[in-house]
Amino acid sequence: MTKVTMTVNGKSVSGEVEGRTLLVDFLRDAQRLTGTHVGCDTSQCGACTVHVDGLQVKSCTMFALEADGATVTTIEGIGNADGTMSALQASFQEHHGLQCGFCTPGMIMAASSLLKVNPKPTEAEIRHHLEGNICRCTGYHNIVKAIMAASGQDVSAIAAE
Ligand code: FES
Ligand code: FES
């Protein structure tokens, strides 16, 4: 076992991990941050997406040891400081960008990563960015709409689901 220390959602945390412990398991099991989901464990679905040092990462593809010393943000850390939802989260709610919600943490982490580098993405850019995130429920239209609306763009041209 090896000790790892990282900053998760602004708080310094540490724990003992095996070399094979995945970052997603460290977050969910050791830190009880269960908003990060495991949909496949094989890098397909994107439900486990978090930010590591500002970059979008599928946390099932990274060992906890590799995140030693890093700054990690999970879905629990994406809201406003006062505990209310971020504009992006609120937009998912308003535009029905989720149904069962299983993919939603990963979708929001991926979308927030996109909006950081591209504050006004086109529909095509959003769809391209979300290629690594799978949703079984929504058909994606409302997810795209929610992201475009969160970036202050007109969403009337996007087909309703
Ligand atoms: Fe990580 Fe599916 S659980 S990509
Ligand atoms: Fe159910 Fe996306 S809302 S998988």
Side-chain angles (χ1 to χ4, degrees):
M1 301 288 272
T2 307
K3 184 178 180 185
V4 291
T5 301
M6 61 189 83
T7 302
V8 180
N9 300 333
K11 193 173 114 194
S12 180
V13 302
S14 58
E16 300 279 330
V17 297
E18 295 181 39
R20 64 181 178 173
T21 302
L22 300 173
L23 177 59
V24 67
D25 293 329
F26 178 74
L27 294 170
R28 286 179 54 85
D29 299 340
Q31 304 305 317
R32 306 307 301 156
L33 293 169
T34 54
T36 301
H37 293 163
V38 180
C40 66
D41 214 0
T42 52
S43 192
Q44 308 285 313
C45 75
C48 64
T49 303
V50 299
H51 298 171
V52 177
D53 289 335
L55 296 176
Q56 181 181 329
V57 168
K58 289 180 176 177
S59 59
C60 77
T61 67
M62 186 172 187
F63 293 119
L65 278 175
E66 295 178 291
D68 189 30
T71 296
V72 178
T73 304
T74 70
I75 188 68
E76 289 89 348
I78 208 85
N80 297 323
D82 64 0
T84 58
M85 288 190 289
S86 68
L88 181 58
Q89 288 173 305
S91 192
F92 267 69
Q93 182 182 48
E94 182 182 346
H95 294 279
H96 309 290
L98 63 148
Q99 287 183 24
C100 79
F102 196 85
C103 71
T104 312
M107 288 289 180
I108 288 178
M109 297 310 289
S112 71
S113 183
L114 171 65
L115 294 178
K116 267 193 258 176
V117 296
N118 185 355
K120 297 251 185 249
T122 64
E123 180 178 349
E125 287 169 336
I126 292 170
R127 290 185 185 277
H128 179 68
H129 190 83
L130 295 181
E131 279 178 353
N133 291 74
I134 295 171
C135 176
R136 292 178 180 173
C137 307
T138 67
Y140 300 96
H141 296 302
N142 288 350
I143 292 173
V144 173
K145 194 185 270 191
I147 296 167
M148 286 196 85
S151 66
Q153 302 186 81
D154 179 17
V155 294
S156 55
I158 299 179
E161 178 59 6

